[in-house]
Every structure is written in structure tokens, then in C-alpha cells.
């Protein structure tokens, strides 16, 4: 009985071992198949990833080309769009015929740069002909200012029609190039309050070089440009009249200076100047004062009466010293240049020095009693 049980148990163990071996063989076969399939899948995934990377690289290259083309296209479009420089405001009052002449003069040269220099007409008063004339042009914006109160003069007998000068201007062909170049200078030098296209002593007999610009302590007026921050500073207290004289007051310009040309850019008797190709850095305050002082030192001094006759007989630049305002007016009268002062400053003066040509190309310097000191010049 015992032997039979042991024999049966052995058969059962043998059957279990065979079954285990069979199962392990099936599992190995199945695992081998799955391993082969997994290897194939990994290989396929690797090939797919490689192809995907190549495709991504190709797409990236195409996108880069597209972006480059779009950037270049945008740049070309941007190049056609001109960056604004300044608004051109013509101040008018009651002379429609003069306004028309000024507008035609401006449009002759402004059309090519209209987006840089948008045009406005600012009309003071209710003159119907001025309004009609301004509104007849599609190229500009008309603004009208009405005030029922009469403008009061500072002194008895003074004229009120100051705006007549503003809408009585005609411009030179390089007018807009001049102001665009000057705008870059104003951005660099904050001591410049305004740039003007006008020279009070700019008549033909007193000028020579259309490329020369000067600094001045006297606001020139007539075709001038302020920066936006300066306008924001001054506009809340802007006067209803005499704004040019108002800007000449020390309390308003606060020691800041102005740029003016030798040859006016508000009418055309000088050659066209390519202002944007000119280096105007000599007008920066620190450079200009040294340059001007050196030129003045080298001018030959003239003393005594008959300054005009003596100047005419000297080769090269000359300088004539004046003692005070009456003395300046006497000398200026002899030469025929402006005699007027405002708030202690002669017209066109820089550090008390008024410069003009007489006869061209000779420069004449009318030098004030404190000019050498202000320019840092020792007695020569």
C-alpha cells in the first residue's frame, strides 16, 4: 500500500514537471515573439523619430525662410512709411492772399515728405476768406480759434497784426531737410530750445555761406521748431499775441539757446543744401563755444569811428567792440543791420556777439563788453 502510494506520487511529480517545462517553453516562445515585435517596434519608432526630426528641420528651414521673407517685406513696407518729424503749423489771421502763397510754397516741397511733416493752418479770428482758403486744400488740417476779447497791446500805438509775418513766408527747397537734420541735433543737445529757418540779418548783402549755422541767445522766430516737451512746458502759459517777443524773455527760455542759419531757409536765394549729409555736431554747446571763441580771437580788432570804412579796407574777419546798447545801435546803424534789443540781448547775438558779412565773405563781429568773459577768452 505504501509502495503503491509512492509510485503514484512520483508519476504526479513527473507529470507536473513536464507540464511546468511545457509552460516555460511556451512562455519563452511567446516572450521571444514579443521581444522580436518590441525590437521591430523600437526600430520603427527610431526610424519614425528620425524622419520626424528631418521633417521638423525642413519645416523650420521653410519657416525661417518665410519669416525672413516676411521681415524683409515688412521692412520694405516700413521703409515706405516715413517717421513723423514735426507738424508744420501756418499761423494765419486776416490775409487770405498771403496764406495762399505760403501754402503753395509749402506744398511744392512738402508733398514728398507729407507723412514726416503733416500740415496745419491755425487761424486766429473769424475772417471768412482765410477760412475758405484754408478749407480749399485737402492736404492740410484747418484749426480756428475765436476770441471775442480784443488783444491789448503792451505799449500804445503798437500793431496787433503779428501773425501777418507768419503767413507771409515762402520756403526754400531744402526747408524740410534742414528741420529734419536739426531735429536730430535737438534730441542730443537739450540746451537748444528751438531751431529757426530765419536770420534777422539774412539779407543778401550780409550773408555768404548757406551751409553755416549759428547758435544764438535771441529767439529768431519766423519758421521755427520746438520739441514736444518744450511745447508741453510753454503751452499752458502761451500768450494770445507777441509770442515771438514772449519767447525772447529770459524767464521763458531760461538760458536755453537757438539755432539759426546764415542764409534764411524761408525764401530761396541760396543753393540747395543736403542737410542730412552734414555733420552738425559742431553746434553742440561744448564744441560750439570753443569754436566760436577761436574764430573771434583771430578776427582783427577795429577801433574808433568810421567802422564801416575801416572794415572794408581790412583783409579777413574783423571785430568791433561796443560799450553798451546805445553804442551798439550806433555801430549797427552804420552797417545797416538790426539795432533792436530784447531783454538785454541784441538780435541774432550769441554771448553778446552779433556776426554778419560785410562785404561778403568777410565776417564782422560786433562784440559786447562781457563777450570775451562769457566765451572764456583772455584779453588779446
Amino acid at each position: 500500500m505504501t509502495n503503491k502510494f509512492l509510485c503514484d506520487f512520483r508519476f504526479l511529480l513527473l507529470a507536473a514537471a513536464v507540464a511546468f517545462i511545457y509552460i516555460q517553453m511556451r512562455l519563452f516562445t511567446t516572450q521571444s515573439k514579443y521581444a522580436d515585435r518590441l525590437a521591430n517596434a523600437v526600430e520603427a519608432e527610431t526610424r519614425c523619430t528620425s524622419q520626424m526630426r528631418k521633417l521638423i528641420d525642413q519645416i523650420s528651414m521653410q519657416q525661417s525662410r518665410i519669416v525672413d521673407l516676411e521681415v524683409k517685406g515688412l521692412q520694405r513696407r516700413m521703409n515706405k512709411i516715413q517717421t513723423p518729424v514735426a507738424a508744420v503749423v501756418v499761423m494765419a489771421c486776416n490775409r487770405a492772399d498771403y496764406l495762399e502763397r505760403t501754402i503753395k510754397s509749402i506744398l511744392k516741397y512738402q508733398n514728398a515728405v507729407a507723412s514726416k511733416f503733416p500740415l496745419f493752418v491755425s487761424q486766429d479770428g473769424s475772417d471768412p476768406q482765410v477760412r475758405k482758403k484754408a478749407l480749399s486744400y485737402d492736404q492740410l488740417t484747418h484749426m480756428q480759434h475765436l476770441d471775442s476779447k480784443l488783444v491789448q497791446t503792451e505799449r500804445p500805438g503798437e500793431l496787433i497784426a503779428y501773425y501777418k509775418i507768419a503767413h507771409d513766408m515762402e520756403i526754400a527747397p531744402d526747408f524740410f531737410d534742414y528741420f529734419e537734420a536739426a531735429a536730430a541735433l535737438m534730441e542730443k543737445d537739450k540746451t537748444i530750445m528751438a531751431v529757426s529757418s530765419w536770420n534777422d540779418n539774412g539779407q543778401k548783402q550780409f550773408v555768404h555761406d548757406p551751409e553755416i549755422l549759428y547758435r544764438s541767445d535771441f529767439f529768431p522766430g519766423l519758421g521755427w521748431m520746438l520739441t514736444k516737451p518744450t511745447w508741453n512746458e510753454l503751452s499752458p502759459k502761451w500768450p494770445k499775441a507777441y509770442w515771438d517777443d514772449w519767447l525772447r524773455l529770459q524767464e521763458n527760455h531760461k538760458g536755453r539757446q537757438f539755432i539759426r542759419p546764415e542764409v534764411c531757409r524761408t525764401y530761396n536765394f541760396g543753393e540747395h543744401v543736403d542737410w542730412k549729409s552734414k555733420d552738425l555736431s559742431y553746434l553742440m554747446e561744448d564744441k560750439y563755444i570753443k569754436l566760436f571763441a577761436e574764430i573771434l580771437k583771430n578776427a582783427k580788432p577795429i577801433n574808433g569811428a568810421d567802422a564801416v570804412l575801416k572794415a572794408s579796407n581790412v583783409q579777413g574777419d574783423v571785430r568791433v567792440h561796443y560799450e553798451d546798447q546805445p553804442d551798439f545801435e550806433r555801430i549797427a546803424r552804420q552797417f545797416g543791420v538790426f539795432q533792436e534789443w530784447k531783454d538785454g540781448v541784441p538780435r541774432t547775438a550769441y554771448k553778446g556777439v552779433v556776426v554778419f558779412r560785410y562785404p561778403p565773405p568777410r565776417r564782422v563781429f560786433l562784440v559786447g563788453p562781457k563777450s570775451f568773459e562769457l566765451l572764456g577768452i583772455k584779453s588779446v
Side-chain angles (χ1 to χ4, degrees), residues 231-244:
W231 171 250
N232 290 339
E233 170 196 337
L234 297 175
S235 59
K237 52 183 180 179
W238 198 264
K240 295 180 180 178
Y242 309 107
W243 43 263
D244 47 355

Side-chain angles (χ1 to χ4, degrees), residues 3 18 103 108 163 306 312 323 358:
N3 289 335
V18 171
I103 291 175
K108 183 177 180 181
Y163 288 130
D306 300 322
S312 301
E323 297 180 359
Y358 190 94

Side-chain angles (χ1 to χ4, degrees), residues 268-281:
N268 184 24
F269 63 72
E271 63 185 70
H272 186 286
V273 178
D274 182 9
W275 291 106
K276 287 183 283 186
S277 69
K278 301 299 178 184
D279 182 5
L280 302 182
S281 63

Side-chain angles (χ1 to χ4, degrees), residues 226-327:
L226 299 173
T227 62
K228 184 177 180 181
T230 302
W231 171 250
N232 290 339
E233 170 196 337
L234 297 175
S235 59
K237 52 183 180 179
W238 198 264
K240 295 180 180 178
Y242 309 107
W243 43 263
D244 47 355
D245 274 349
W246 179 78
L247 282 171
R248 291 167 185 147
L249 298 176
Q250 168 66 28
E251 64 187 77
N252 294 318
H253 65 72
K254 298 177 182 177
R256 289 170 289 186
Q257 295 173 335
F258 311 94
I259 301 297
R260 66 167 181 86
E262 178 168 312
V263 177
C264 295
R265 315 322 300 172
T266 46
Y267 51 85
N268 184 24
F269 63 72
E271 63 185 70
H272 186 286
V273 178
D274 182 9
W275 291 106
K276 287 183 283 186
S277 69
K278 301 299 178 184
D279 182 5
L280 302 182
S281 63
Y282 72 92
L283 291 164
M284 299 286 286
E285 184 181 33
D286 57 339
K287 292 183 179 180
Y288 187 81
I289 190 169
K290 296 176 183 178
L291 174 65
F292 191 84
E294 190 64 27
I295 295 172
L296 183 60
K297 280 195 303 182
N298 292 330
K300 184 174 180 179
I302 291 178
N303 300 310
D306 300 322
V308 175
L309 180 61
K310 291 180 179 179
S312 301
N313 292 324
V314 173
Q315 295 294 323
D317 298 340
V318 299
R319 65 175 190 263
V320 183
H321 291 256
Y322 63 89
E323 297 180 359
D324 49 29
Q325 183 172 348
D327 194 31

Side-chain angles (χ1 to χ4, degrees), residues 37-47:
R37 290 178 183 176
L38 182 61
N40 291 336
V42 170
E43 183 180 358
E45 183 179 5
T46 301
R47 287 198 304 270

Side-chain angles (χ1 to χ4, degrees), residues 79-92:
N79 289 338
K80 294 179 180 179
I81 301 174
Q82 299 169 325
T83 303
V85 176
V88 179
V89 182
V90 179
M91 290 170 283

Side-chain angles (χ1 to χ4, degrees), residues 96-362:
D97 52 342
Y98 281 16
L99 175 63
E100 180 178 27
R101 191 170 70 181
T102 298
I103 291 175
K104 285 183 177 180
S105 171
I106 292 173
L107 293 179
K108 183 177 180 181
Y109 306 111
Q110 184 252 7
N111 285 334
V113 290
S115 60
K116 289 184 179 181
F117 296 93
L119 180 58
F120 299 80
V121 170
S122 178
Q123 179 186 351
D124 280 340
S126 58
D127 188 288
Q129 295 304 315
V130 169
R131 174 181 169 81
K132 181 179 179 181
K133 182 59 63 180
L135 291 175
S136 68
Y137 291 93
D138 295 331
Q139 303 96 318
L140 59 81
T141 301
H142 172 257
M143 302 176 292
Q144 188 171 11
H145 312 285
L146 300 175
D147 193 338
S148 59
K149 297 180 181 179
L150 294 176
V151 177
Q152 300 297 318
T153 60
E154 293 182 356
R155 295 175 293 275
E158 280 188 325
L159 296 177
I160 296 175
Y162 255 58
Y163 288 130
K164 178 178 70 173
I165 300 175
H167 63 216
D168 188 22
M169 273 177 40
E170 294 185 44
I171 66 173
D174 58 3
F175 180 87
F176 293 107
D177 286 344
Y178 169 72
F179 277 111
E180 185 169 359
L185 179 66
M186 295 178 76
E187 287 296 319
K188 297 176 183 176
D189 189 344
K190 304 304 181 184
T191 67
I192 300 173
M193 183 175 186
V195 174
S196 175
S197 59
W198 180 254
N199 174 12
D200 285 304
N201 293 322
Q203 295 79 16
K204 287 185 179 181
Q205 66 269 30
F206 299 128
V207 300
H208 173 70
D209 191 343
E211 297 185 7
I212 293 293
L213 304 178
Y214 295 89
R215 290 181 77 105
S216 175
D217 298 305
F218 189 96
F219 174 63
L222 285 181
W224 45 271
M225 178 172 65
L226 299 173
T227 62
K228 184 177 180 181
T230 302
W231 171 250
N232 290 339
E233 170 196 337
L234 297 175
S235 59
K237 52 183 180 179
W238 198 264
K240 295 180 180 178
Y242 309 107
W243 43 263
D244 47 355
D245 274 349
W246 179 78
L247 282 171
R248 291 167 185 147
L249 298 176
Q250 168 66 28
E251 64 187 77
N252 294 318
H253 65 72
K254 298 177 182 177
R256 289 170 289 186
Q257 295 173 335
F258 311 94
I259 301 297
R260 66 167 181 86
E262 178 168 312
V263 177
C264 295
R265 315 322 300 172
T266 46
Y267 51 85
N268 184 24
F269 63 72
E271 63 185 70
H272 186 286
V273 178
D274 182 9
W275 291 106
K276 287 183 283 186
S277 69
K278 301 299 178 184
D279 182 5
L280 302 182
S281 63
Y282 72 92
L283 291 164
M284 299 286 286
E285 184 181 33
D286 57 339
K287 292 183 179 180
Y288 187 81
I289 190 169
K290 296 176 183 178
L291 174 65
F292 191 84
E294 190 64 27
I295 295 172
L296 183 60
K297 280 195 303 182
N298 292 330
K300 184 174 180 179
I302 291 178
N303 300 310
D306 300 322
V308 175
L309 180 61
K310 291 180 179 179
S312 301
N313 292 324
V314 173
Q315 295 294 323
D317 298 340
V318 299
R319 65 175 190 263
V320 183
H321 291 256
Y322 63 89
E323 297 180 359
D324 49 29
Q325 183 172 348
D327 194 31
F328 172 86
E329 293 173 353
R330 178 185 61 81
I331 299 170
R333 192 180 306 114
Q334 292 179 21
F335 284 98
V337 296
F338 262 100
Q339 306 164 39
E340 181 190 357
W341 287 41
K342 187 69 178 181
D343 207 12
V345 181
R347 276 187 182 266
T348 77
Y350 172 70
K351 307 296 184 184
V353 180
V354 171
V355 56
F356 54 93
R357 309 274 181 166
Y358 190 94
R362 179 190 294 108

